[in-house]
Amino acid sequence: MKMDKLIIFIFLLQGVWCGDWSISLPENIEALSGSCVTINCTFDIHTTYDKYLNDSAVGVWFKNRTDYQTNVVFHSNRTNLYFKGKIIGKLKSKDCTTIFYNVTSNYSAIFFFKIEGNGGLKWTYTQKSALIDVIDSPRKPTVQKFKDQMEVEVHEEVLEGSSMCLRCSAKTLCSSSPPTLTWSSTDRLHLNENSRLQLDQPNQTEIISDLNFTATHLLHGVTFICTITYQLQQRNTTAQNNITLRVQYAPKISLFSCNRTDVTVCLCEAHGNPSPKVEWFLSGRLVSNSTNTSISEERLSSTDLRSFISLHQSLTHTDTLQCVTINTHGNASKLIQLVSSPQEMTCKETQIHTIRKD
């Protein structure tokens, strides 16, 4: 019974003793080959050794294992070890944050920290480690889409007139200077962007660039490209991501013309999203295919439709021809007054354009 109590006491004593030797490390760190890597690190020691935690204390990093001295890759008092870097935190303030330079694939490993000092201060923190993953090229930035300040799916279509924000973000990683984000577009638009740095997670910063605008039909099908550029010591490296904007809008008539010889032939071109339909009205009456009239259509794209009408009957100077295009968001109309003499045939156009808001 006494032996059992002694064992329990020893375990309790170890728990109290070890509880003071704690360390905080990020579990996973991503580093870019050719750049640097920062390990954010804080630690604690038993109060018995606080007086020895001074400017003479040193920090040591082990790679993969802690039980062999040959696995030491960094020592704050030695310059001839394999990894070049420095402890940028203050050890006497229990900050062991360290930066390594000229990262290569050999840095992909698990790292453990050790504190050493006078008076028997020596402890290897084996309970926690940091895994560094070295990538050869940067990951593409993340692109998000916001409509009226609410995030929507990247592929979701938006209605013309909506307030839009395209957001591009990426981890800053470690480099000689912060990376930059730039926007471009397939239509070479003038883009008003706003970039900033912000804390994404504890001890981790990301760069964000917002592109704000109002959705119009001119932006339908335009691809916006976000490029991140990291400035490395030997070179610059980039990664890209893009988003294609899909805008729903009421139809518009882009072309309306007539040619009259023995037969009056008119052309009406309309575009809208969803794709509109086209109807013809002769002097206010809906026209369909008949012996005197022929109508044909040509689909130019997913948003563009061209419609032809041929009128074989005789016309008077009071006859009008109207092209009306319709989709779920509204309609547009153009009207031509047909003049009986071919030499006098001119178009008197009026446009009626209404939009239905959903």
Side-chain angles (χ1 to χ4, degrees), residues 115-296:
I115 186 71
E116 292 182 354
N118 297 325
L121 173 59
K122 183 180 293 186
W123 190 269
T124 302
Y125 294 89
T126 58
Q127 70 271 37
K128 284 189 179 180
S129 59
L131 172 63
I132 295 179
D133 179 25
V134 179
I135 55 177
D136 292 328
S137 56
R139 302 192 188 280
K140 64 181 182 180
T142 299
V143 176
Q144 299 167 279
K145 183 168 68 176
F146 295 84
K147 180 185 72 173
D148 300 327
Q149 300 182 347
M150 297 290 293
E151 185 175 3
V152 295
E153 294 293 331
V154 171
H155 301 294
E156 182 178 326
E157 294 190 337
V158 298
L159 187 62
E160 185 173 35
S162 299
S163 177
M164 299 299 304
C165 172
L166 300 183
R167 175 165 296 173
C168 183
S169 59
K171 299 292 186 292
T172 57
L173 300 181
C174 177
S175 56
S176 55
S177 59
T180 57
L181 288 175
T182 55
W183 284 98
S184 59
S185 68
T186 51
D187 282 21
R188 298 184 179 180
L189 303 171
H190 175 70
L191 304 177
N192 181 22
E193 56 188 286
N194 177 32
S195 295
R196 66 186 186 276
L197 289 170
Q198 74 175 31
L199 195 64
D200 175 37
Q201 298 174 6
N203 300 317
Q204 193 169 57
T205 305
E206 68 176 356
I207 184 171
I208 295 174
S209 180
D210 286 342
L211 196 59
N212 297 288
F213 56 90
T214 299
T216 72
H217 67 280
L218 298 175
L219 297 179
H220 177 72
V222 173
T223 298
F224 296 88
I225 305 139
C226 178
T227 302
I228 186 164
T229 302
Y230 291 93
Q231 300 178 24
L232 308 183
Q233 293 183 348
Q234 303 296 328
R235 59 186 171 87
N236 287 351
T237 184
T238 63
Q240 290 183 340
N241 201 355
N242 63 73
I243 180 173
T244 300
L245 196 64
R246 304 291 178 187
V247 181
Q248 292 199 359
Y249 59 96
K252 306 174 193 304
I253 296 176
S254 54
L255 178 62
F256 189 24
S257 64
C258 289
N259 181 33
R260 186 175 178 196
T261 54
D262 294 335
V263 178
T264 301
V265 180
C266 295
L267 157 69
C268 184
E269 232 175 72
H271 64 94
N273 187 30
S275 181
K277 67 176 183 177
V278 171
E279 294 179 336
W280 292 96
F281 291 84
L282 180 60
S283 298
R285 297 186 302 275
L286 179 65
V287 179
S288 57
N289 279 304
S290 67
T291 55
N292 293 325
T293 308
S294 60
I295 299 173
S296 61

Side-chain angles (χ1 to χ4, degrees), residues 282-321:
L282 180 60
S283 298
R285 297 186 302 275
L286 179 65
V287 179
S288 57
N289 279 304
S290 67
T291 55
N292 293 325
T293 308
S294 60
I295 299 173
S296 61
E297 291 183 344
E298 179 184 356
R299 181 69 60 185
L300 303 177
S301 69
S302 61
T303 57
D304 292 70
L305 177 68
R306 179 183 291 164
S307 181
F308 298 90
I309 187 170
S310 299
L311 301 172
H312 300 272
Q313 66 264 50
S314 59
L315 301 169
T316 68
H317 68 280
T318 60
D319 284 324
T320 59
L321 186 66

